[in-house]
Amino acid sequence: MAPFNFTHSDASTFILMGIPGLEAAHIWISIPFFTFYIVSLLGNVMLLSVVGKEQTLQKPMYLLLCMLALTDIATPTFVVPKALGIFWFNLKGITVAGCLTQMFFLHTISVMHSSTLVTMAFDRYVAICNPLRYATILSNAQIAKLGLVGFIRAVLFILPLPLLLSQQTFCANRIIPHTQCEHIAMVKMVCGDISVNRIYGFVLTFVINGFDLTFIALSYGLIIRAVLRISSHKAHQKALNTCTAHICVMLTYYTPTFFSILTHHFGQGIAPYVHIILADLYLLIPPMLNPIIYGVKTKELRDKVVKYTCRSSADTKFTQSSADTRDDISSGLQCPSGNCQIVREYVNQH
């Protein structure tokens, strides 16, 4: 069946091409896109649901996990539906305002995600290096304030990007060889002077990633130093285990980030579709893996997930069993007095 062609070419519209060079494989590429997205949604929604229901999990560490889960839900949601529209129905058109909005939210959520990882590193530092003051330094209210600060920081840093681009004149050829409105891809379509945009984008990347990674490295450096001073091997192991999940999550986020940046700046010989696939995987893989990592590595969370999963399964089986029992009793009743209808109504109600 031929794909629908709903693209537009007027002056207020950009054309997202998907993955140029792999157009024939768009349908096949959409399968992992859709699968990763659904798994990501299910995992992160389950995490939010379990923490929301379980009072014992409503403490700073798990509230930070909820913040991370929210960013992991938002990130692919701003990309995957549009990408699937391109792959399945050839819906390539997107307005300039829509493109700038997508770019703003994508980068804002990315900065917010990085801020959350910094706060999580600080949380582990306080828990291990200053455990007696943990409840005072990091209460639930403090975590909420830090989350708000991270959100405000992300908005203030990213807002100039679409504002600067909205003042530029775009060339007649408004084709974006990508599945999303990346800042780099949009800058390449500007016909005027883009030196300010390039400088701000470079400084932004350096400042945010540089500051966040420095703070994370400092926190874990102090954690390692504190752990090495502990004489008990068992205490060593316990302290390091509390950080394992955080380190894995940071690696899944920052490794593809830097790999994507390096290929953009130094991978001129690499095929364009490789850049696009890497950029998409960077937005899809971490949100899918994060709830799995925490589910495997965090025993308390894992136990609660199993508890609610088993309870849900047991409730379903009990409900079905009760219904079957009522049917059996109702169908097998002997009513010599002729009051079968009354008795059946009583059984069905109970």
Side-chain angles (χ1 to χ4, degrees):
M1 183 176 65
F4 298 105
N5 190 358
F6 295 138
T7 59
H8 304 279
S9 58
D10 59 80
S12 62
T13 305
F14 290 136
I15 305 298
L16 286 169
M17 295 302 295
I19 307 179
L22 296 178
E23 288 88 352
H26 273 179
I27 291 295
W28 298 107
I29 295 172
S30 70
I31 296 173
F33 266 63
F34 182 73
T35 304
F36 293 165
Y37 182 50
I38 294 301
V39 172
S40 172
L41 286 181
L42 291 175
N44 286 291
V45 168
M46 178 179 287
L47 192 153
L48 290 170
S49 177
V50 170
V51 174
K53 290 179 180 178
E54 189 62 45
Q55 292 288 334
T56 59
L57 295 181
Q58 293 177 10
K59 48 191 178 183
M61 175 182 172
Y62 294 102
L63 292 182
L64 286 170
L65 285 185
C66 288
M67 289 168 56
L68 192 70
L70 289 173
T71 63
D72 285 341
I73 290 171
T75 300
T77 299
F78 286 118
V79 175
V80 175
K82 180 60 181 176
L84 293 178
I86 297 170
F87 295 154
W88 291 345
F89 308 112
N90 207 31
L91 295 170
K92 298 180 179 181
I94 184 170
T95 63
V96 175
C99 210
L100 291 173
T101 301
Q102 186 192 51
M103 184 195 71
F104 169 73
F105 280 111
L106 274 177
H107 291 295
T108 299
I109 295 299
S110 179
V111 175
M112 183 65 191
H113 190 106
S114 186
S115 299
T116 305
L117 293 180
V118 171
T119 309
M120 292 171 76
F122 180 64
D123 169 79
R124 290 302 86 199
Y125 161 74
V126 176
I128 293 173
C129 299
N130 207 344
L132 298 179
R133 297 185 59 198
Y134 180 82
T136 305
I137 297 173
L138 285 176
S139 62
N140 289 352
Q142 288 296 106
I143 292 298
K145 290 177 183 177
L146 289 172
L148 180 61
V149 169
F151 177 73
I152 293 172
R153 181 188 84 144
V155 171
L156 292 179
F157 274 133
I158 299 301
L159 189 57
L161 291 178
L163 292 179
L164 286 171
L165 280 173
S166 65
Q167 304 303 314
Q168 296 285 357
T169 302
F170 295 100
C171 299
N173 183 12
R174 299 189 168 207
I175 296 176
I176 303 177
H178 213 301
T179 58
Q180 56 183 279
C181 295
E182 263 194 339
H183 179 251
I184 296 174
M186 292 194 69
V187 166
K188 290 178 180 178
M189 292 191 302
V190 174
C191 288
D193 182 19
I194 59 171
S195 55
V196 175
N197 301 73
R198 285 189 178 276
I199 291 171
Y200 185 76
F202 178 78
V203 171
L204 194 63
T205 302
F206 179 78
V207 169
I208 292 176
N209 289 327
F211 172 81
D212 290 358
L213 281 174
T214 300
F215 195 92
I216 290 171
L218 179 63
S219 297
Y220 278 99
L222 293 173
I223 289 171
I224 292 171
R225 188 181 71 172
V227 169
L228 292 177
R229 290 179 177 178
I230 301 173
S231 57
S232 169
H233 177 73
K234 186 176 180 180
H236 264 197
Q237 195 67 29
K238 184 177 179 181
L240 290 175
N241 282 341
T242 63
C243 300
T244 304
H246 299 80
I247 294 172
C248 290
V249 166
M250 289 171 194
L251 288 175
T252 61
Y253 177 74
Y254 285 111
T255 302
T257 300
F258 279 103
F259 193 68
S260 180
I261 292 172
L262 289 174
T263 55
H264 262 297
H265 287 89
F266 306 107
Q268 286 78 11
I270 299 176
Y273 61 80
V274 175
H275 296 280
I276 298 168
I277 292 173
L278 283 175
D280 288 331
L281 290 179
Y282 149 68
L283 297 174
L284 287 169
I285 299 296
M288 181 185 67
L289 292 181
N290 288 347
I292 297 173
I293 291 171
Y294 279 108
V296 171
K297 291 293 185 180
T298 310
K299 184 179 185 300
E300 189 176 8
L301 179 61
R302 183 173 67 248
D303 291 344
K304 298 302 181 185
V305 170
V306 171
K307 169 189 168 183
Y308 280 104
T309 303
C310 292
R311 177 186 294 178
S312 176
S313 176
D315 288 346
T316 302
K317 290 180 180 179
F318 178 77
T319 302
Q320 183 62 41
S321 176
S322 299
D324 293 343
T325 302
R326 286 199 302 269
D327 292 341
D328 292 342
I329 294 174
S330 180
S331 63
L333 285 173
Q334 300 296 324
C335 308
S337 61
N339 294 323
C340 286
Q341 183 62 30
I342 297 173
V343 177
R344 284 196 183 96
E345 287 179 0
Y346 176 83
V347 172
N348 288 333
Q349 289 173 2
H350 293 77

